[in-house]
Amino acid sequence: MPDDNRQDVNSQELSAEEQFRQQALDYHAYPTPGKIAVEVTKPANSAEDLALAYSQV
């Protein structure tokens, strides 16, 4: 899964553990950083919308 923004790691200069660490960092950094995302699924355009969303009913 090549990506132009991804840093090219020279595997001959890194130990297996360092390669794995770099691969894990790249996996979570590209193409979108982070492991999870929070996405709004309901309208949140006004204070009333937010009050409804956070109501305990």
Side-chain angles (χ1 to χ4, degrees), residues 8-25:
D8 188 22
V9 177
N10 186 345
S11 61
Q12 293 176 351
E13 295 178 10
L14 301 176
S15 70
E17 184 177 339
E18 290 170 327
Q19 287 179 37
F20 182 79
R21 177 176 163 71
Q22 186 61 51
Q23 288 173 341
L25 290 171

Side-chain angles (χ1 to χ4, degrees), residues 48-57:
E48 183 179 0
D49 289 342
L50 291 174
L52 290 170
Y54 285 97
S55 65
Q56 296 182 9
V57 177

Side-chain angles (χ1 to χ4, degrees), residues 36-47:
I36 61 171
V38 176
E39 187 174 325
V40 178
T41 60
K42 304 292 183 196
N45 299 320
S46 67

